[in-house]
Amino acid sequence: MCFENDTRYVRQQSAIDDIAGKLGVVSYRPSYHGEKGDANTVLLYTVEDAEHNFQVDRQPFSYTRGEADDRRKFGQAIPDELVYRDHFWCFQNIDVNGRFDMSWGNFGKLDLRGNRWREVLEGSIQAAYAKKQEALHILRTGRWQALREADETSNGLNRSIIKAIKLQYGKAFLGKINFYGEKRQKVISGKAAVYEEYTGQKLCNFCCDFVVPAADAEIEKRIRQWAAAELPLPAKLIDQITSRVDAIGGDNLIWF
């Protein structure tokens, strides 16, 4: 389904390779790429993970991470050198309904129709790469339970995610959940905004709790409800806010 003579296919695939090269990561097209039933699948890996998977290919047995996890639950010892590592970004020409469409990517999350299609791809890749780097950093430095203070690696990756979301969507809005004093009362009454648009200003540590591509009314409603809530605070509101942030293409941020 790749339509190699379609200029959109050539431009999109070349852009993915170019962006991957700038980031220093590996773009991989599985053997079924572009065949019937496939929507031009491309997977991006860190160099370390790509090299690991190359070595797994040379083993007599191999497992996906899911297969290895299932077998380990039943006590089977599966060494890491037999387990493929996951990609950090996947691309497919699929619209919101799951149909093949060169104008869209990743179930309609990537709008490739306008003149910003390259920025859409680059922002999506950069955000995914920053999240991958964050996960690796946390793993290497003691997981989330480790005592951290002013961790500028994590904080810098948060800034990268914010900038990447703005690049992908053209706009980004910074949101806070907790407000205090006079500001809290204004939030409750609707006289104060819960969002600040990111337009390139300096991003200080703890400047926001999340970033979203649009000033979502549902999130705003929940935040005002949270501000007005009495003890004990309804934890479900936080779950609703963070879930909605993820659902609309944003990211919940943790600062140190």
Side-chain angles (χ1 to χ4, degrees), residues 59-95:
Q59 302 299 323
F61 302 100
S62 60
Y63 305 89
T64 66
R65 182 173 59 85
E67 291 170 341
D69 288 345
D70 288 342
R71 289 173 181 266
R72 286 166 175 164
K73 289 177 183 177
F74 293 96
Q76 184 173 350
I78 306 293
D80 288 340
E81 57 264 28
L82 299 182
V83 183
Y84 288 106
R85 294 179 182 172
D86 293 338
H87 55 272
F88 70 85
W89 186 79
C90 175
F91 174 79
Q92 292 178 310
N93 282 120
I94 294 177
D95 68 12

Side-chain angles (χ1 to χ4, degrees), residues 123-155:
S124 176
I125 292 172
Q126 287 186 2
Y129 183 61
K131 293 174 188 177
K132 173 68 173 181
Q133 293 300 106
E134 180 181 52
L136 290 173
H137 173 68
I138 295 299
L139 182 64
R140 291 166 180 164
T141 56
R143 301 181 183 272
W144 291 107
Q145 294 82 3
L147 179 63
R148 302 173 187 279
E149 185 175 354
D151 187 331
E152 279 309 305
T153 297
S154 289
N155 293 339

Side-chain angles (χ1 to χ4, degrees), residues 1 13 77-78 102 112 137 158 183 227 241:
M1 299 174 71
Q13 296 292 315
I78 306 293
M102 293 294 301
L112 307 175
H137 173 68
N158 282 344
K183 182 64 178 288
I241 292 167

Side-chain angles (χ1 to χ4, degrees), residues 197-211:
E197 184 173 2
Y198 173 64
T199 58
Q201 68 268 34
K202 182 178 180 180
L203 295 167
C204 299
N205 295 348
F206 304 98
C207 63
C208 61
D209 296 317
F210 61 87
V211 56

